[in-house]
Amino acid sequence: MQTDIDPRSLIGRKAFDRNGAKIGTVDEVYLDDATGAPEWAAVRTGLFSRDAFVPLEPSTFADDVLRVPYERSLIKDAPDFGVGRHLSPEQELQLYHHYGLELSSAPETPAPPPSPAGEEPSTDRSFGRIAGREDEGT
């Protein structure tokens, strides 16, 4: 999906499946914890007022409409985690598997070295590179 879209502009917009069938209305947008980029949208399907999570990549947003490249039936069968709460890594993994998406190939952050005996472990950890910054020393 276009990364220059304000996630708030998606809320309230109609969402359609790959065949042009209406799925529902975007209720909430979930951002990636590491990058802050929009990653998932909760779409109110209207069927028992249930929200279905849809991936924003490879979806497209144009003409004030979110187009999700999956069948409506697959979207409606997505795991239901409720809305208004943070998605846990386990829940996000379930969604990736449901849609057949590959996890991002971002390099893992190495574990911090063990603390010497008697010292408190450090809670200052790197959770990834800062966007727009090249690796220093390369």
Side-chain angles (χ1 to χ4, degrees), residues 1-137:
M1 193 178 101
Q2 299 164 307
T3 56
D4 59 341
I5 299 288
D6 180 357
R8 293 173 293 199
S9 68
L10 291 170
I11 296 173
R13 303 298 182 198
K14 302 294 180 210
F16 294 87
D17 77 353
R18 70 181 324 152
N19 300 316
K22 183 179 173 190
I23 303 164
T25 304
V26 177
D27 206 17
E28 291 186 357
V29 175
Y30 290 75
L31 306 179
D32 180 274
D33 288 336
T35 66
E39 188 167 16
W40 299 96
V43 176
R44 173 120 357 205
T45 63
L47 183 63
F48 306 113
S49 296
R50 178 186 183 276
D51 280 89
F53 285 90
V54 297
L56 291 175
E57 179 65 42
S59 298
T60 57
F61 182 66
D63 301 323
D64 291 333
V65 170
L66 180 66
R67 298 201 186 278
V68 183
Y70 297 98
E71 299 282 338
R72 186 176 179 186
S73 59
L74 180 68
I75 295 165
K76 291 199 178 218
D77 288 342
D80 184 5
F81 304 120
V83 294
R85 295 187 302 266
H86 182 267
L87 285 175
S88 72
E90 294 80 17
Q91 291 170 327
E92 193 169 10
L93 186 60
Q94 286 179 39
L95 289 169
Y96 271 95
H97 286 303
H98 177 77
Y99 287 104
L101 297 170
E102 292 185 26
L103 295 174
S104 67
S105 58
E108 291 186 28
T109 303
S115 299
E119 287 186 21
E120 290 293 317
S122 172
T123 58
D124 182 25
R125 297 183 185 164
S126 171
F127 288 99
R129 297 182 317 189
I130 297 173
R133 220 186 252 183
E134 294 297 321
D135 288 339
E136 294 176 17

